[in-house]
Amino acid sequence: MAESRSTDNCDVVVVGAGCAGLSAAVRLASRGKTVTVIEEAPRLGGRATAFADRDSGQRLDNGQHALFGCYRETYDFLRAIGTAHLAPLDPTLRLTMADAEGRVATLTCPTWPSPWDLVWGLLAWKALPLRDRFAATRLRSLLSAARREGAEGAAARVSPTLTVTDWLRQHGQPESLCQWLWHPLAFAALNQDPGVAAARPFVRVVGELFGPSPGSSSLGVPSVPLDELYAEPAARFIEARGGRVLRGTSALVAVDPTGQEHRVYAGDAILRPQAIISAVPWHAFGRLWRHEVPQRLAAIGDAAALMQSAPIVTVNLWFDRPVMTERQIGLVGTQFHWVFNKNSDVGSRYSLVASGAEGILRQDNHELAALAERELRACVPRVAAAVCLRSLVVRESRATFSLAPGAPIRPATQTPVPGIFLAGDWTDTGLPATIEGGVLSGHRAAAAAMITL
């Protein structure tokens, strides 16, 4: 008996509307392909999105994200949808750090070629004892390799068994430099304790940040919520070119063993695209299939099921007055690692982010808010006279996948099933779970799909 559902044809179906899925769909739509994006959640953006705060009416990110000049794929994506100006890059790296003793110091790198920009910035950085400032020169071999063969090639030389802590120790990085620079960077990039996270993706990040391209380490913090930065503009871009973006709709994929006519069941519709891109996170991959994970994709499904997750906790604090002039400050020796200045005409709000937050994830909201406020007051002296008016805690228990040595192998874009492609930061990009990793995976999936269309 024929199925009593409406049928529809399009060039490509993308399942998942995070940065991976949307970047894939935008790239395909810009090439003239008809794309249908299907998102199970009512809002777009996946693990990098925003929501409405009921009390203030503000739209808040579910977790703060910063961009860098080396995020080439991300800025290509933002330029395509017309929003790159909403995350402007600083002229050069300028990073303010503060510890629980109230010491505040700003690392400012000149606009010089790498690695001399970082070396000079560190030599002048008063956060470190003078004898420790020269230790960064021990990384010249890495930065030179990144200039010669790219950050990916330099990272490939690192043993997969090493943690970040192991690698920093091998390169003679003193404790002060680790505490004030490398560890905060590792937490931000890898969302995991440096003693647990693998060194290889960290070396890739360092090679990208301080590689040969001018401005690679320049920081860009979005001036609007994440859904306004990329999710909604991407949806408008896709729809303006004849595509569709379905929200609050579950998708199930039925694989044709011959590879000729895969089907996607979405609500009351059956879609028969020429290609399907799975852009769901690792923990949702097994639920994507109408019956079970197809046999030829079983190895990918098994690896995805074994992937461990790492959490992020964000605490938003509202004060009765501004307490920071900096856009962001890194916190040293604390459980929260960064604070972002989110002031607006609605109030003085500050977002404190704890990456790799397994140790505090289960604390109740009152305890987390009190911890965040206490650490902010210790690190930023100007908070002393301010009154905290309210707080809001956001937990992302599966914010990223674990990068510990021995983690399951990350899958490639191309799968053993013709017409089925993978996107997502958890695929084999060589990068950690960042927006850049997600967008890179989406662009790769779009390129692979284009070959089949």
Side-chain angles (χ1 to χ4, degrees):
M1 181 180 294
E3 293 174 294
S4 59
R5 294 183 175 185
S6 62
T7 61
D8 194 7
N9 294 318
C10 59
D11 294 323
V12 183
V13 166
V14 177
V15 185
C19 54
L22 290 172
S23 61
V26 164
R27 181 60 61 88
L28 289 163
S30 71
R31 302 293 193 269
K33 304 305 176 182
T34 304
V35 186
T36 297
V37 179
I38 306 172
E39 172 54 52
E40 185 175 42
R43 61 177 183 255
L44 308 179
R47 288 171 287 130
T49 187
F51 63 95
D53 173 34
R54 288 176 293 182
D55 290 343
S56 68
Q58 291 177 282
R59 291 197 63 75
L60 310 182
D61 292 335
N62 66 334
Q64 180 64 52
H65 290 263
L67 309 180
F68 288 92
C70 60
Y71 281 23
R72 293 177 291 276
E73 301 291 333
T74 300
Y75 276 96
D76 282 349
F77 172 44
L78 296 180
R79 280 189 289 270
I81 59 178
T83 61
H85 65 285
L86 298 177
L89 291 165
D90 294 337
T92 186
L93 178 63
R94 180 179 173 84
L95 195 60
T96 297
M97 306 294 293
D99 70 4
E101 303 300 320
R103 291 189 300 156
V104 180
T106 299
L107 170 65
T108 302
C109 294
T111 54
W112 293 357
S114 176
W116 304 113
D117 53 348
L118 176 62
V119 170
W120 181 260
L122 289 173
L123 288 175
W125 197 24
K126 295 182 179 180
L128 308 176
L130 184 59
R131 67 181 181 277
D132 291 348
R133 299 180 198 179
F134 292 92
T137 61
R138 298 170 190 157
L139 297 182
R140 281 182 300 177
S141 59
L142 164 67
L143 301 180
S144 297
R147 289 182 67 87
R148 289 194 311 271
E149 58 197 80
E152 186 174 4
R157 298 183 180 186
V158 177
S159 168
T161 65
L162 290 180
T163 66
V164 174
T165 298
D166 295 333
W167 184 83
L168 291 170
R169 188 179 296 119
Q170 276 190 0
H171 287 80
Q173 299 300 284
E175 185 64 19
S176 64
L177 185 53
C178 290
Q179 289 295 319
W180 280 78
L181 180 62
W182 300 129
H183 288 177
L185 178 60
F187 272 112
L190 310 182
N191 189 35
Q192 213 158 15
D193 188 290
V196 175
R200 183 174 285 179
F202 177 72
V203 172
R204 171 73 179 272
V205 168
V206 173
E208 294 281 2
L209 284 174
F210 304 109
S213 300
S216 291
S217 60
S218 297
L219 186 64
V221 176
S223 60
V224 296
L226 288 169
D227 58 348
E228 295 178 30
L229 176 69
Y230 81 94
E232 295 299 336
R236 291 193 292 269
F237 183 98
I238 294 159
E239 290 168 345
R241 287 155 180 79
R244 294 189 298 163
V245 178
L246 306 180
R247 308 160 195 249
T249 303
S250 297
L252 292 173
V253 177
V255 171
D256 177 2
T258 68
Q260 299 300 309
E261 191 180 89
H262 305 309
R263 297 185 180 189
V264 180
Y265 294 78
D268 293 329
I270 303 173
L271 308 180
R272 294 182 171 87
Q274 297 179 55
I276 298 170
I277 296 176
S278 164
V280 300
W282 66 98
H283 53 80
F285 183 80
R287 296 188 283 106
L288 182 60
W289 314 97
R290 195 177 188 211
H291 302 294
E292 59 184 15
V293 178
Q295 183 60 38
R296 283 182 288 175
L297 301 179
I300 297 173
D302 291 345
L306 291 172
M307 280 186 164
Q308 300 297 307
S309 301
I312 292 177
V313 170
T314 302
V315 176
N316 295 277
L317 299 177
W318 282 262
F319 287 90
D320 65 344
R321 70 196 71 183
V323 299
M324 278 173 53
T325 56
E326 299 85 355
R327 192 172 53 183
Q328 73 282 320
I329 296 177
L331 307 180
V332 178
T334 54
Q335 296 192 70
F336 285 87
H337 304 112
W338 297 89
V339 56
F340 291 86
N341 187 341
K342 310 298 288 186
N343 282 345
S344 69
D345 55 2
V346 180
S348 298
R349 177 170 65 91
Y350 303 88
S351 293
L352 287 95
V353 180
S355 300
E358 290 88 352
I360 63 173
L361 183 67
R362 304 304 174 194
Q363 293 185 24
D364 66 34
N365 288 353
H366 176 75
E367 292 174 323
L368 287 169
L371 174 63
E373 182 181 351
R374 187 165 60 249
E375 293 190 341
L376 183 61
R377 290 187 184 278
C379 294
V380 182
R382 284 168 296 193
V383 187
V387 176
C388 185
L389 302 176
R390 63 178 290 249
S391 63
L392 179 67
V393 175
V394 181
R395 292 175 175 83
E396 288 287 340
S397 60
R398 295 190 292 198
T400 66
F401 55 92
S402 171
L403 286 164
I409 295 174
R410 296 161 65 179
T413 302
Q414 197 92 30
T415 76
V417 178
I420 303 289
F421 306 94
L422 299 183
D425 56 8
W426 63 285
T427 62
D428 188 17
T429 65
L431 293 169
T434 58
I435 286 180
E436 176 70 359
V439 174
L440 172 60
S441 76
H443 287 168
R444 286 182 174 178
M450 283 291 296
I451 296 173
T452 70
L453 299 177

